Amino acid sequence: MCRHLGWLGAPVAVSALVLDPTHSLRVQSYAPRRQKHGLMNADGWGVGFFDRVSDGPSGDDVPRRWRSPAPLWGDASFESVAPALRSHCVVAAVRSATVGMPIEASATAPFTDGRWLLSHNGVVDRSLLPVTSSAESFCDSAVLAATIFERGIDALGETIVEIGGADPLARLNILAANGHRLVATTWGDTLSVLRRDDGVVLASEPYDDDPGWEDVPDRHLVDVTVDRLEFIPLV
Ligand code: GLN
Protein backbone atom coordinates (compact mmCIF):
# COMPACT_ATOMS: atom_id res chain seq x y z
CA MET A 1 0.00 0.00 0.00
CA CYS A 2 1.63 3.13 -1.17
CA ARG A 3 5.34 3.81 -1.04
CA HIS A 4 6.85 6.90 0.51
CA LEU A 5 10.26 8.52 0.87
CA GLY A 6 11.74 11.21 3.11
CA TRP A 7 15.01 13.12 2.96
CA LEU A 8 16.80 15.31 5.51
CA GLY A 9 20.30 16.56 4.69
CA ALA A 10 22.10 18.74 2.22
CA PRO A 11 20.04 20.36 -0.55
CA VAL A 12 19.56 17.87 -3.39
CA ALA A 13 17.51 17.82 -6.59
CA VAL A 14 14.10 16.23 -6.07
CA SER A 15 14.70 14.19 -9.24
CA ALA A 16 17.80 12.61 -7.65
CA LEU A 17 15.59 11.16 -4.89
CA VAL A 18 12.33 10.45 -6.68
CA LEU A 19 13.12 9.73 -10.36
CA ASP A 20 16.76 8.82 -10.96
CA PRO A 21 17.61 5.83 -8.70
CA THR A 22 17.25 2.37 -10.28
CA HIS A 23 14.28 1.54 -8.01
CA SER A 24 13.07 5.10 -7.45
CA LEU A 25 9.52 6.02 -6.42
CA ARG A 26 8.80 6.33 -10.14
CA VAL A 27 9.76 2.66 -10.65
CA GLN A 28 7.97 1.73 -7.41
CA SER A 29 4.81 3.26 -8.90
CA TYR A 30 4.61 0.32 -11.37
CA ALA A 31 7.05 -2.29 -9.98
CA PRO A 32 7.52 -2.05 -6.20
CA ARG A 33 9.77 -4.78 -4.82
CA ARG A 34 8.62 -5.06 -1.21
CA GLN A 35 4.97 -4.10 -1.33
CA LYS A 36 2.85 -6.52 0.69
CA HIS A 37 -0.56 -4.99 -0.06
CA GLY A 38 -1.57 -4.01 -3.59
CA LEU A 39 0.35 -4.55 -6.83
CA MET A 40 1.29 -1.08 -7.97
CA ASN A 41 0.93 2.58 -7.05
CA ALA A 42 -0.90 4.14 -9.98
CA ASP A 43 -3.50 6.22 -8.10
CA GLY A 44 -1.51 9.41 -7.86
CA TRP A 45 1.66 10.88 -6.49
CA GLY A 46 2.76 13.77 -4.34
CA VAL A 47 6.07 15.51 -3.80
CA GLY A 48 6.46 17.92 -0.90
CA PHE A 49 9.60 19.80 -0.03
CA PHE A 50 10.71 22.57 2.26
CA ASP A 51 11.76 25.88 0.87
CA ARG A 52 14.23 27.62 3.20
CA VAL A 53 13.25 31.26 3.03
CA SER A 54 15.71 32.60 5.61
CA ASP A 55 19.06 31.46 6.96
CA GLY A 56 20.02 30.71 10.55
CA PRO A 57 19.33 27.91 13.00
CA SER A 58 15.61 28.56 13.12
CA GLY A 59 15.27 29.57 9.49
CA ASP A 60 11.73 29.48 8.19
CA ASP A 61 11.02 26.36 6.17
CA VAL A 62 7.92 26.69 4.04
CA PRO A 63 6.30 23.47 2.79
CA ARG A 64 5.55 23.35 -0.94
CA ARG A 65 3.58 20.54 -2.60
CA TRP A 66 2.94 19.15 -6.08
CA ARG A 67 0.28 16.43 -6.13
CA SER A 68 -1.57 14.60 -8.90
CA PRO A 69 -4.18 11.82 -9.09
CA ALA A 70 -2.42 10.37 -12.20
CA PRO A 71 0.44 7.82 -12.28
CA LEU A 72 3.91 9.28 -11.65
CA TRP A 73 5.45 7.37 -14.56
CA GLY A 74 3.48 9.40 -17.11
CA ASP A 75 4.12 12.89 -15.77
CA ALA A 76 6.47 14.51 -18.30
CA SER A 77 6.00 17.99 -16.77
CA PHE A 78 7.21 16.85 -13.36
CA GLU A 79 10.11 14.97 -14.97
CA SER A 80 11.14 18.16 -16.73
CA VAL A 81 10.94 20.41 -13.65
CA ALA A 82 12.13 18.03 -10.88
CA PRO A 83 15.88 18.53 -11.56
CA ALA A 84 15.39 22.25 -10.87
CA LEU A 85 13.62 21.68 -7.52
CA ARG A 86 16.25 21.46 -4.78
CA SER A 87 15.61 20.98 -1.09
CA HIS A 88 17.21 19.83 2.14
CA CYS A 89 13.98 18.14 3.25
CA VAL A 90 11.56 16.16 1.09
CA VAL A 91 8.48 13.97 1.65
CA ALA A 92 7.24 12.15 -1.46
CA ALA A 93 4.74 9.35 -2.08
CA VAL A 94 3.13 7.23 -4.78
CA ARG A 95 -0.37 5.97 -4.03
CA SER A 96 -2.33 2.76 -4.27
CA ALA A 97 -5.80 3.86 -3.16
CA THR A 98 -7.65 1.74 -0.63
CA VAL A 99 -10.98 0.47 -2.01
CA GLY A 100 -13.66 3.10 -1.47
CA MET A 101 -11.27 6.03 -1.09
CA PRO A 102 -11.47 8.94 -3.54
CA ILE A 103 -8.84 9.19 -6.26
CA GLU A 104 -8.09 12.90 -6.33
CA ALA A 105 -5.17 15.19 -5.55
CA SER A 106 -6.58 16.21 -2.16
CA ALA A 107 -6.55 12.53 -1.03
CA THR A 108 -2.90 12.16 -2.03
CA ALA A 109 0.03 12.52 0.38
CA PRO A 110 1.81 14.53 1.54
CA PHE A 111 -0.80 16.25 3.71
CA THR A 112 0.10 19.42 5.58
CA ASP A 113 -0.89 21.62 8.51
CA GLY A 114 1.25 24.43 7.12
CA ARG A 115 4.34 23.34 9.09
CA TRP A 116 4.64 19.58 8.61
CA LEU A 117 4.37 17.38 5.54
CA LEU A 118 2.96 13.91 6.28
CA SER A 119 2.42 10.69 4.35
CA HIS A 120 0.56 7.55 5.45
CA ASN A 121 1.31 4.12 4.07
CA GLY A 122 -1.47 1.79 5.15
CA VAL A 123 -5.14 1.72 6.05
CA VAL A 124 -7.27 2.71 9.03
CA ASP A 125 -10.98 2.54 9.90
CA ARG A 126 -12.07 6.19 9.77
CA SER A 127 -15.02 5.56 12.06
CA LEU A 128 -12.56 4.95 14.91
CA LEU A 129 -10.84 8.29 14.42
CA PRO A 130 -12.06 11.46 16.13
CA VAL A 131 -14.19 13.69 13.91
CA THR A 132 -11.97 16.45 12.62
CA SER A 133 -12.95 19.34 10.42
CA SER A 134 -9.43 20.05 9.25
CA ALA A 135 -8.92 16.95 7.05
CA GLU A 136 -8.14 17.78 3.42
CA SER A 137 -10.25 14.87 2.14
CA PHE A 138 -12.43 12.12 3.61
CA CYS A 139 -9.75 9.60 2.56
CA ASP A 140 -8.65 7.60 5.64
CA SER A 141 -5.06 8.89 5.34
CA ALA A 142 -6.20 12.53 5.26
CA VAL A 143 -8.38 12.07 8.37
CA LEU A 144 -5.50 10.28 10.11
CA ALA A 145 -3.11 13.10 9.15
CA ALA A 146 -5.51 15.70 10.60
CA THR A 147 -5.76 13.66 13.83
CA ILE A 148 -1.96 13.46 14.11
CA PHE A 149 -1.58 17.19 13.45
CA GLU A 150 -4.17 18.01 16.11
CA ARG A 151 -2.41 15.88 18.71
CA GLY A 152 1.03 17.11 17.71
CA ILE A 153 3.95 15.26 16.14
CA ASP A 154 5.62 14.96 19.55
CA ALA A 155 2.77 12.62 20.50
CA LEU A 156 3.04 10.60 17.24
CA GLY A 157 4.15 7.37 18.96
CA GLU A 158 1.33 7.48 21.52
CA THR A 159 -1.23 8.32 18.84
CA ILE A 160 -0.18 5.36 16.68
CA VAL A 161 -0.20 2.94 19.63
CA GLU A 162 -3.66 4.17 20.64
CA ILE A 163 -5.16 3.96 17.13
CA GLY A 164 -3.44 0.61 16.47
CA GLY A 165 -4.95 -0.70 19.69
CA ALA A 166 -8.44 0.47 18.73
CA ASP A 167 -8.17 -0.87 15.16
CA PRO A 168 -6.24 -4.17 15.08
CA LEU A 169 -6.46 -4.32 11.26
CA ALA A 170 -4.87 -0.88 10.84
CA ARG A 171 -1.51 -0.44 9.17
CA LEU A 172 0.02 2.81 10.30
CA ASN A 173 3.33 3.63 8.63
CA ILE A 174 3.68 7.40 8.91
CA LEU A 175 6.39 9.63 7.48
CA ALA A 176 6.51 13.31 8.46
CA ALA A 177 8.97 16.20 8.22
CA ASN A 178 9.14 19.88 9.08
CA GLY A 179 12.41 20.92 7.44
CA HIS A 180 14.54 20.21 10.52
CA ARG A 181 13.25 16.83 11.60
CA LEU A 182 12.13 13.64 9.87
CA VAL A 183 9.99 11.15 11.80
CA ALA A 184 8.48 7.85 10.73
CA THR A 185 6.64 4.90 12.22
CA THR A 186 6.47 1.24 11.26
CA TRP A 187 3.18 -0.46 12.05
CA GLY A 188 2.37 -3.21 9.59
CA ASP A 189 4.41 -2.18 6.57
CA THR A 190 8.03 -1.96 5.45
CA LEU A 191 10.51 0.90 6.01
CA SER A 192 14.25 1.20 5.33
CA VAL A 193 16.89 3.76 6.26
CA LEU A 194 19.95 4.84 4.30
CA ARG A 195 22.55 6.96 6.12
CA ARG A 196 24.41 8.84 3.39
CA ASP A 197 27.36 11.18 3.87
CA ASP A 198 25.10 14.12 2.94
CA GLY A 199 21.93 13.12 4.79
CA VAL A 200 19.39 10.44 5.69
CA VAL A 201 16.78 8.72 3.51
CA LEU A 202 13.75 6.95 4.99
CA ALA A 203 11.84 4.94 2.40
CA SER A 204 9.14 2.26 2.30
CA GLU A 205 11.66 0.24 0.31
CA PRO A 206 15.26 0.81 -0.87
CA TYR A 207 15.53 2.91 -4.03
CA ASP A 208 18.69 1.06 -5.10
CA ASP A 209 20.87 -1.90 -4.12
CA ASP A 210 23.28 0.02 -1.88
CA PRO A 211 24.30 -2.42 0.91
CA GLY A 212 23.96 0.45 3.41
CA TRP A 213 20.14 0.22 3.55
CA GLU A 214 18.90 -0.97 6.97
CA ASP A 215 15.42 -2.37 7.56
CA VAL A 216 13.49 -0.77 10.40
CA PRO A 217 11.76 -3.36 12.61
CA ASP A 218 7.97 -3.27 12.84
CA ARG A 219 6.36 -1.12 15.56
CA HIS A 220 9.13 1.41 15.83
CA LEU A 221 9.44 5.17 15.59
CA VAL A 222 12.44 6.63 13.77
CA ASP A 223 13.40 10.18 14.73
CA VAL A 224 15.99 11.97 12.59
CA THR A 225 17.61 15.39 12.97
CA VAL A 226 20.81 16.63 11.32
CA ASP A 227 22.97 15.13 14.05
CA ARG A 228 20.92 12.24 15.43
CA LEU A 229 19.03 9.13 14.31
CA GLU A 230 17.04 7.24 16.93
CA PHE A 231 14.93 4.07 16.78
CA ILE A 232 12.28 3.96 19.51
CA PRO A 233 10.11 0.84 20.05
CA LEU A 234 6.36 1.50 20.05
CA VAL A 235 4.69 -0.33 22.90
N1 GLN B 1 -5.44 4.27 2.67
C1 GLN B 1 -4.71 5.27 1.94
C2 GLN B 1 -5.34 5.62 0.61
O1 GLN B 1 -6.34 5.13 0.24
C3 GLN B 1 -3.27 4.85 1.75
C4 GLN B 1 -3.22 3.63 0.90
C5 GLN B 1 -1.89 3.04 0.82
O2 GLN B 1 -1.04 3.06 1.71
N2 GLN B 1 -1.75 2.38 -0.26
O3 GLN B 1 -4.80 6.42 -0.06
Side-chain angles (χ1 to χ4, degrees):
M1 285 273 164
C2 299
R3 304 279 81 184
H4 52 210
L5 172 143
W7 167 255
L8 184 67
V12 293
V14 165
S15 53
L17 295 170
V18 173
L19 302 179
D20 301 344
T22 45
H23 294 280
S24 65
L25 275 188
R26 173 162 56 183
V27 174
Q28 291 170 33
S29 69
Y30 56 84
R33 295 190 290 178
R34 294 200 179 175
Q35 192 153 332
K36 293 189 280 186
H37 304 274
L39 294 177
M40 53 162 67
N41 300 288
D43 300 322
W45 60 272
V47 170
F49 59 93
F50 287 87
D51 188 11
R52 189 151 280 177
V53 294
S54 65
D55 290 330
S58 58
D60 289 328
D61 284 332
V62 178
R64 311 267 180 213
R65 290 185 294 171
W66 188 346
R67 298 183 293 168
S68 162
L72 178 56
W73 69 75
D75 201 313
S77 296
F78 177 68
E79 182 180 39
S80 163
V81 174
L85 301 175
R86 296 182 67 80
S87 178
H88 61 287
C89 187
V90 175
V91 175
V94 290
R95 180 175 182 220
S96 168
T98 298
V99 173
M101 298 300 145
I103 299 179
E104 56 196 22
S106 60
T108 306
F111 305 100
T112 190
D113 63 352
R115 285 194 320 125
W116 288 84
L117 291 169
L118 186 149
S119 171
H120 168 225
N121 171 199
V123 64
V124 64
D125 181 348
R126 286 169 298 181
S127 69
L128 298 173
L129 297 174
V131 176
T132 164
S133 56
S134 55
E136 291 180 54
S137 156
F138 66 86
C139 172
D140 61 346
S141 300
V143 179
L144 178 61
T147 303
I148 292 168
F149 290 144
E150 272 173 25
R151 295 194 181 184
I153 294 286
D154 286 336
L156 176 63
E158 289 157 42
T159 302
I160 293 305
V161 169
E162 186 185 320
I163 294 171
D167 180 1
L169 298 179
R171 296 192 307 279
L172 302 166
N173 278 39
I174 301 294
L175 175 64
N178 69 351
H180 304 273
R181 193 174 157 207
L182 191 57
V183 291
T185 59
T186 51
W187 193 280
D189 237 306
T190 56
L191 184 73
S192 299
V193 182
L194 181 65
R195 302 171 207 238
R196 294 182 4 182
D197 290 343
D198 57 346
V200 173
V201 187
L202 295 179
S204 301
E205 58 183 56
Y207 61 45
D208 62 16
D209 293 325
D210 188 319
W213 286 98
E214 296 165 56
D215 293 341
V216 180
D218 197 34
R219 301 199 173 193
H220 275 68
L221 185 138
V222 188
D223 198 347
V224 184
T225 57
V226 281
D227 49 16
R228 184 174 51 87
L229 192 157
E230 243 185 309
F231 294 94
I232 302 154
L234 291 175
V235 284

